Amino acid sequence: MATLATAPAPATTSSPPQVTWGRVRQSRRLADRLLKVVSALFTAIGVFALGWILLMLLWQGFAALGPSVFLHTMPGPGSAGGGLLNAMAGSLIMTTIGIVVATPIGVLAGTYLAEYARTSKLASGIRFVNDILLSAPSILIGLFVYTLLVAPFGAYSGWAGGVALAIIAVPVIVRTTEDMLRLVPNGLREAAAALGAPPSRVITLVTWRAARAGIVTGILLATARIAGETAPLLFTALNNNFWFSPSLIGGVSNLPVTIYQFALSPYTNWQELAWAGALIITITILGLSVLARFVIKREVAR
Amino acid sequence: MSSVASNEHVVASPSSVGSGRISHSGFDRGFRAAAIGCAALVLLVLVGIIGSMIWGGLPAFREFGFFGFVGGSTWNVGADRYGAWPAIAGTLSSSLIALVIGVPLSLGIAIFLTQLSPAWLKGPISTAVELLAAVPSIIYGMWGLFVFAPLVANYVQIPLNALVEGVPIVGTVLYSRVPSGTGIFTAGIILALMIIPFIASVTRDMLDQIPPVLRESAYGIGCTTWEVVRHVLVPQAGISIIGAIMLGLGRALGETMAVTFVIGNANRLSSSIFDPGSTIASRIANEFNEAADLQLSALIALGCILFLVTFSVLVAARLLIARVQAR
C-alpha cells in the first residue's frame, strides 16, 4: 500500500535514488533515514547546548571582568565595586591542600593495585570501591568531613575544606595511576629486577618514570575536578566575605561558594561578580583539562 | 634526559651498596606498607562515609522510625517534625525526567559518533561532549536559573497552563500554579544535560569495543544502518549501555548545586511536575548550615538515604559494565 502510493512520484522526477534503493522496502529505508536524521539532530542539540552555555558564560563573564576583580576583596551587601581576591586566594589554598594530600595517597594506592596486587581479592575490592567513590555524590563527602573535622572541633576551617577536596581527588588519581602503570611493559620491570633491584626500586626508578606523563595527567584532571566543586565546601570551609585568618580556622572564602551566594543575591554588582568568578573558574578548569590532554598526547607521540 | 639520569644512577650505585643494604630492604618494606596503607585508606573512606551517615542520622531514625521517616510527608522545622518523602519524591522524579530526556539524546550522540559521523567531525564533537562533562555544576545552575528558567516560564508553562487548565489528571500534572520557570521539570532538564556526557562517552567506548567484523558482515549482507544498530550493536552492547545509563542515574540522584539553583526549594509535596520542589541533596545544601539538634540529624538521615540509593545504583552499574568487560 505504502509502496504503491509513494513509488510513482520519485519515478517521474528522479530515477537514480530509485535504482540504488531498488529492492529495499520503504519501511527499512524509512527506519534507516530516521535513525540517521534523529541521531544527527540529537548530536546537534548536545553541541548547541554546550555552545549556548559557554557563549553566555563568556558574554556575561567578560562584561563583568575587570582589573578590580583581581585587586579587591569581596564587597559588603549594598556597597559598590569590590572583587574576588580573597575568594580566589582561598580557593587556591584549599585546592593546593587537596592535591598535596591526595597525590601521595592516590599514587601509592594506584601503585599497590597495579604493581603489588594485580589479581588479589582485596585489590579487586578496593578497585570496585574506588570506582564507586569516583561517582559518589560530593555533598555526602561534605557531610562526612563535617562529622569528622568540623563538628568535633566546633569550627569550620580551610583544612576541612582541603580534606573534603582531597577525598574527591584521590579516586581520580588512583584510577589514572593504575591504568597508566598497567601500560608499562613487563620487560622493563623484569630487566630492573634482573639487575637485583628490589620491588620498591623497580617501581620508583623504572615504572613510575615510564608512566610519569600519565600520572601527571591524572593529577591535572583531579585538580580540574576539585577546582569547581561547591557542595563539599558548603559545610566544611563555609565562606567568608573578608580575609580569612592565616591559620585557616573559621570560614575560608572560596570561589565556588561565593559564586553560589552572589548569584542568588539581589545585588547587581554581586551577580556580576558571580559571573566573573564563574568565567575564571571555567577557564581554569577547561585549561587544566586541555593541558592534561596535551601532556598525555606528547607522551604518546614520543 | 631521563636516560642520562638513570645511567648516572647505575654508575653511582655500587659505591653505596655496602652501606645501604639494610636500609634498602627497610625502605622496600616501608614502601610496600605505605602502598597497602594508602589503598586501605580508600576502603576506609567509604566505611567512614557509611558510618558517619548512620551515626549522625540515628536520632532522627529513632524518633520517627525508619519507615515513618522515609514515608513521612511533612517537613516542618517549626514543629520539629521531619519526613523524607517530599525530598525523596523530588529526587526520583527529577532524575526520571533527566533519564527520559537524557538517555535518547546520549544514545543518539553515541550512535552518531561511532556509526555516522564523517572522520573530520568525530574529534571536535567528542571533545565538545567531554568539555560538557568538565564544566562545573554551578555553571549549569546559573545558566538554568538566569537563561533557561525564564524560557520555560514564557514558552512552556504559560501556554501549557492555558491549554490544560481544568482538564482532569493532565491538568493536575502539567498545571503550574506560579509559572516562574523553576521547578522539578527544569531541574530534570538541567540534569539531563549534565548526564549526557557520561552516558554518551561510556556508550561510545562500548560501541567502539565491538569487533568491526560483526558490523562489516552485517553491512555485507545488505543491512541498513538502523538494522545494524538494532540487531548487531544493541544486542552486543545492551547490558553495558544499561550500566552506563545507571552511572548517569547515580550522577543525577546526587547532583546538588545545579539542582539547588533551579528546583525552587519548596518543602511540600506537589502533584505537578512544574511546581517547585526539592531533592535530598538540595534540601541538605539549603538547610544544613542553619540546622541544629533533631533537624541536623534528620538532614544527615536524608544523606544516609541518598547514600543507600546512589550506592546501590552505582554498584549495579559497575557490576553490569564489569561483566561485559570481563567477557
Side-chain angles (χ1 to χ4, degrees), chain B residues 228-265:
Chain B
V228 172
V229 169
R230 170 70 191 79
H231 298 290
V232 178
L233 301 185
V234 168
Q236 281 287 315
I239 292 175
S240 53
I241 291 175
I242 293 173
I245 292 171
M246 295 188 78
L247 210 60
L249 177 63
R251 292 258 172 190
L253 289 169
E255 174 50 45
T256 312
M257 299 320 295
V259 171
T260 311
F261 267 98
V262 295
I263 201 158
N265 301 314

Side-chain angles (χ1 to χ4, degrees), chain A residues 28 31-32 36 39 42-43 50 52 56 112 116 131 139-140 143-144 156 198-200 230 234 238 256 263 278 282 293, chain B residues 24 28 31-32 36 48 52 104 108 112 116 128 130 132 138-139 143 146-147 151 222 225-227 256 281 288-289:
Chain A
R28 294 180 63 200
D32 187 60
K36 284 178 177 164
S39 53
F42 283 1
T43 309
L50 173 75
W52 191 2
M56 181 217 51
Y112 172 75
Y116 284 111
D131 279 353
I139 193 159
L140 294 181
L143 283 183
F144 169 56
Y156 296 104
S200 62
T230 316
L234 280 173
L238 200 66
T282 311
R293 270 155 199 264
Chain B
H24 218 80
D28 201 44
F31 187 82
R32 191 188 156 86
I36 295 176
S52 69
F112 182 81
L116 304 171
E130 275 156 39
L132 204 56
I138 196 160
I139 309 295
W143 179 79
F146 291 115
V147 180
L151 292 181
T225 311
W226 161 252
E227 285 156 352
T256 312
F288 195 80
N289 280 325

Side-chain angles (χ1 to χ4, degrees), chain A residues 161-225:
Chain A
V163 169
L165 294 180
I167 291 178
I168 295 171
V170 164
V172 182
I173 299 178
V174 171
R175 186 66 194 266
T176 38
T177 304
E178 193 200 347
D179 288 351
M180 291 303 154
L181 288 178
R182 275 166 178 265
L183 291 178
V184 175
N186 259 335
L188 284 179
R189 295 189 186 94
E190 284 156 10
L195 290 173
S200 62
R201 295 278 153 174
V202 175
I203 291 166
T204 49
L205 297 177
V206 178
T207 46
W208 275 3
R209 282 193 185 183
R212 193 169 43 191
I215 295 173
V216 170
T217 304
I219 296 168
L220 286 174
L221 287 177
T223 316
R225 172 86 199 273

